[in-house]
Coordinates of all heavy atoms in Angstrom, one line a residue:
R14 N -15.0 -82.5 -20.8 CA -16.0 -81.7 -21.3 C -16.2 -80.4 -20.4 O -16.4 -79.3 -20.8 CB -17.3 -82.5 -21.3 CG -18.1 -82.2 -22.6 CD -19.4 -83.0 -22.7 NE -19.2 -84.4 -22.9 CZ -19.9 -85.4 -22.3 NH1 -20.9 -85.0 -21.6 NH2 -19.7 -86.6 -22.6
F29 N -15.8 -60.3 -24.0 CA -16.8 -59.3 -23.6 C -16.0 -58.1 -22.8 O -16.2 -57.0 -23.1 CB -17.9 -59.8 -22.7 CG -19.1 -60.2 -23.5 CD1 -19.4 -61.5 -23.9 CD2 -20.0 -59.1 -24.0 CE1 -20.5 -61.8 -24.7 CE2 -21.1 -59.4 -24.7 CZ -21.3 -60.8 -25.1
G50 N 7.6 -35.5 -46.8 CA 6.6 -36.3 -47.4 C 6.5 -36.3 -48.9 O 6.8 -35.2 -49.5
G87 N 30.2 -25.9 -52.0 CA 31.5 -26.2 -51.3 C 32.1 -25.0 -50.8 O 31.9 -23.9 -51.3
G96 N 53.5 -12.4 -43.2 CA 53.4 -11.5 -42.0 C 54.6 -11.6 -41.2 O 55.6 -12.4 -41.5
F118 N 40.4 -37.0 -35.7 CA 40.3 -38.5 -35.8 C 41.5 -39.1 -36.5 O 42.1 -38.4 -37.4 CB 39.0 -38.8 -36.5 CG 37.8 -38.2 -35.9 CD1 37.2 -37.0 -36.4 CD2 37.3 -38.7 -34.7 CE1 36.1 -36.4 -35.8 CE2 36.2 -38.1 -34.1 CZ 35.6 -37.0 -34.6
A202 N -20.8 -22.1 -44.2 CA -22.2 -21.7 -44.6 C -22.4 -22.1 -46.1 O -21.5 -22.3 -46.8 CB -22.3 -20.2 -44.5
E206 N -27.4 -22.0 -55.2 CA -26.9 -22.3 -56.5 C -25.5 -22.8 -56.6 O -24.9 -22.7 -57.7 CB -27.1 -21.0 -57.4 CG -28.4 -20.4 -57.4 CD -29.4 -21.1 -58.4 OE1 -29.0 -21.8 -59.3 OE2 -30.6 -21.0 -58.1
K263 N 0.4 -24.1 -42.0 CA 1.2 -24.6 -41.0 C 0.4 -25.2 -39.9 O -0.6 -24.6 -39.5 CB 2.1 -23.5 -40.4 CG 3.2 -23.0 -41.3 CD 4.1 -22.0 -40.6 CE 5.1 -21.5 -41.6 NZ 5.8 -20.3 -41.2
H266 N 1.4 -25.9 -32.5 CA 1.0 -25.3 -31.3 C 1.5 -23.9 -31.2 O 2.5 -23.6 -31.8 CB 1.6 -26.1 -30.1 CG 1.1 -27.5 -29.9 ND1 -0.2 -27.7 -29.5 CD2 1.6 -28.7 -30.1 CE1 -0.4 -29.0 -29.4 NE2 0.7 -29.6 -29.8
D366 N 37.3 -16.0 -10.7 CA 38.4 -15.1 -10.4 C 38.1 -13.6 -10.8 O 39.0 -12.9 -11.0 CB 39.7 -15.6 -10.9 CG 39.7 -15.7 -12.4 OD1 38.6 -15.7 -13.0 OD2 40.7 -15.9 -13.0
K377 N 22.7 -1.5 -16.0 CA 22.9 -1.1 -17.4 C 22.7 -2.3 -18.3 O 22.1 -2.1 -19.4 CB 24.4 -0.6 -17.6 CG 24.6 0.8 -17.1 CD 25.9 1.3 -17.7 CE 26.3 2.6 -17.0 NZ 27.7 3.0 -17.4
A397 N 44.5 -6.9 -14.6 CA 45.3 -6.2 -13.6 C 46.2 -5.2 -14.3 O 46.6 -4.1 -13.7 CB 46.1 -7.1 -12.8
F426 N 32.4 -6.9 -34.7 CA 30.9 -6.9 -34.4 C 30.2 -6.5 -35.7 O 30.8 -6.1 -36.7 CB 30.6 -5.9 -33.3 CG 31.1 -4.5 -33.5 CD1 30.3 -3.6 -34.1 CD2 32.4 -4.1 -33.1 CE1 30.7 -2.3 -34.3 CE2 32.8 -2.8 -33.3 CZ 31.9 -1.9 -33.9
C483 N 28.6 -4.7 -24.5 CA 28.7 -3.3 -24.1 C 30.0 -3.1 -23.4 O 30.4 -4.0 -22.5 CB 27.6 -2.9 -23.1 SG 25.9 -3.1 -23.8
T507 N 47.7 -26.9 -9.6 CA 46.8 -28.0 -10.0 C 45.7 -27.4 -11.0 O 45.4 -28.0 -12.0 CB 46.0 -28.6 -8.8 OG1 46.9 -28.6 -7.7 CG2 45.5 -29.9 -9.1

Side-chain angles (χ1 to χ4, degrees):
R14 224 180 287 145
F29 265 101
F118 303 101
E206 306 283 335
K263 288 184 183 163
H266 290 291
D366 59 347
K377 278 193 192 172
F426 57 90
C483 301
T507 324

